[in-house]
Amino acid sequence: MKNLSIRIIIGILFSAIGLVSLFFTNDALMAAIWLSFGNGLILSDLRFTGTDAQGNMYVKPIPKARTYTAIFLIVMAVLLLVFQVFLDMQQTSGTIAQ
């Protein structure tokens, strides 16, 4: 439990919200936003421990591929959120014109 930081806990919470919203509301875009942001937070900060040749425990560095994937997921969440706002504005302006 020592390797769980506040970002990982928030990421797990966001991912759980995304999964629940997918099951209950069937709104795939909103669920994708929550899941993408939550998984990006988890990937960006989750650290594993290893054992060296002398038997000492050490924290392994985060691989660059995982960092790039985390950044991509967080950026994707922001882009999806902008797209959701755009769709909502389109829907709202269509109802006002009628």
Side-chain angles (χ1 to χ4, degrees), residues 18-27:
L19 187 64
V20 168
S21 70
L22 180 63
F23 288 146
F24 288 130
T25 65
N26 293 329
D27 187 9

